Amino acid sequence: MRRRIVAGNWKMNNNLSDSTTLLEDLKTQDFKDENVEVFVAPSYTNLALAGTLLKDSAIKVAAQNMHQNDGGAFTGEVSATMLKSVDVSTVILGHSERRAYFNETDSLLAEKVNAALKNDMQVIFCFGEELEDRKSEAHFKVVEDQLKNGLFHIEKEVWKNIILAYEPVWAIGTGETASPEQAQEMHAYVRNTIKATYGEEIAADVSILYGGSVKPANASEIFAKPDVDGGLIGGAALDATSFAAIANAF
Ligand code: PGA
């Protein structure tokens, strides 16, 4: 069944004490609709803290990344099994910042997706075009390639563990949001692409989030679009009131 989801990507923000404050603030917020699933994705160092502080709350914890191997000589990396050991069973993969600054390619992401699914984790799989792609009208092709190369090798049965996030790179952290129509157009395209390969049921069931400068002021018109099932929120997720307002914008 298609779910409505709002996920806060804290990126490389918030030390231990900032994270404690934000998590405590989040617990005092009124998330009005219990059918809207809410996630926060702190940095690795604050995941266990988030799990502890949110234990009695409906807010779930996700990681921002993980390595494709379960363990071994990979200095500086964190595996799916480590995430699961601190009760984190959702991971964001393929964020455009990972793709751009850490050279994460479609084929690496395919490996990471496999590692996550093998460990029974849920994946928030991100994709999106750059400004030049949109200007040259290559955006549909770019997105289709990212999906096909990074994700379309998975079996039908595991699509229930996939959440998609369309994040046009030109809208991330720039204050420039895709218009609700642009978001809807791409989300519908993605759903059709999934339908062509995996069939109607999987296409209809998968949740597709929009990400890129979502704020309390623009969330409701974006979320109102039929193929937009929620948001992946960066900057506005660092403030509990703004984040809750976005989660309440359906
Ligand atoms: P933003 O980030 O909301 O700050 O644009 C979104 C994201 O990168 O997930």
Side-chain angles (χ1 to χ4, degrees):
M1 209 188 66
R2 203 187 300 180
R3 300 138 66 193
R4 288 177 297 156
I5 297 165
V6 168
N9 174 12
W10 293 6
K11 309 192 180 185
M12 199 173 71
N13 294 297
N14 291 337
N15 60 24
L16 185 68
S17 89
D18 304 326
S19 298
T20 307
T21 305
L22 180 50
L23 290 162
E24 293 294 358
D25 283 353
L26 283 169
K27 288 204 299 190
T28 67
Q29 297 298 316
D30 182 16
F31 290 94
K32 294 194 187 343
D33 186 345
E34 61 185 28
N35 293 317
V36 174
E37 284 179 58
V38 178
F39 288 87
V40 289
S43 57
Y44 288 138
T45 54
N46 296 308
L47 287 174
L49 171 83
T52 304
L53 292 185
L54 296 175
K55 191 160 47 71
D56 299 320
S57 126
I59 304 173
K60 298 172 204 163
V61 184
Q64 299 174 18
N65 180 33
M66 57 168 239
H67 194 264
Q68 65 276 22
N69 283 82
D70 277 346
F74 300 101
T75 301
E77 293 294 323
V78 169
S79 70
T81 50
M82 290 171 179
L83 294 177
K84 292 201 77 179
S85 75
V86 290
D87 292 327
V88 173
S89 52
T90 301
V91 61
I92 299 171
L93 292 177
H95 191 279
S96 65
E97 288 148 20
R98 299 295 318 169
R99 293 176 187 263
Y101 307 143
F102 303 96
N103 303 318
E104 294 203 359
T105 58
D106 289 340
S107 62
L108 174 66
L109 290 169
E111 285 184 56
K112 292 192 176 200
V113 166
N114 290 345
L117 295 175
K118 186 186 81 184
N119 283 286
D120 289 322
M121 293 186 71
Q122 175 168 252
V123 174
I124 301 178
F125 186 83
C126 306
F127 54 89
E129 82 283 359
E130 299 191 25
L131 187 56
E132 299 73 60
D133 303 323
R134 187 161 275 270
K135 281 189 178 152
S136 63
E137 296 184 5
H139 46 299
F140 293 117
K141 169 92 174 85
V142 167
V143 161
E144 189 170 334
D145 285 349
Q146 288 174 338
L147 283 171
K148 289 196 164 157
N149 297 335
L151 199 60
F152 274 26
H153 61 283
I154 66 171
E155 301 291 336
K156 271 189 163 186
E157 295 64 45
V158 287
W159 268 91
K160 60 181 186 311
N161 289 331
I162 303 290
I163 297 162
L164 299 177
Y166 169 54
E167 299 206 301
V169 178
W170 47 272
I172 296 179
T174 57
E176 186 162 346
T177 326
S179 68
E181 292 70 30
Q182 286 171 319
Q184 167 58 27
E185 185 184 36
M186 184 60 86
H187 285 220
Y189 183 82
V190 166
R191 223 179 274 289
N192 270 325
T193 305
I194 296 167
K195 184 174 159 191
T197 305
Y198 286 98
E200 173 85 55
E201 200 181 334
I202 286 176
D205 276 1
V206 68
S207 299
I208 311 178
L209 316 184
Y210 167 79
S213 300
V214 178
K215 305 272 180 289
N218 60 23
S220 51
E221 53 175 2
I222 298 171
F223 295 171
K225 292 295 177 191
D227 286 297
V228 179
D229 306 305
L232 182 55
I233 318 301
L238 299 175
D239 176 80
T241 314
S242 298
F243 186 58
I246 292 170
N248 290 334
F250 285 92

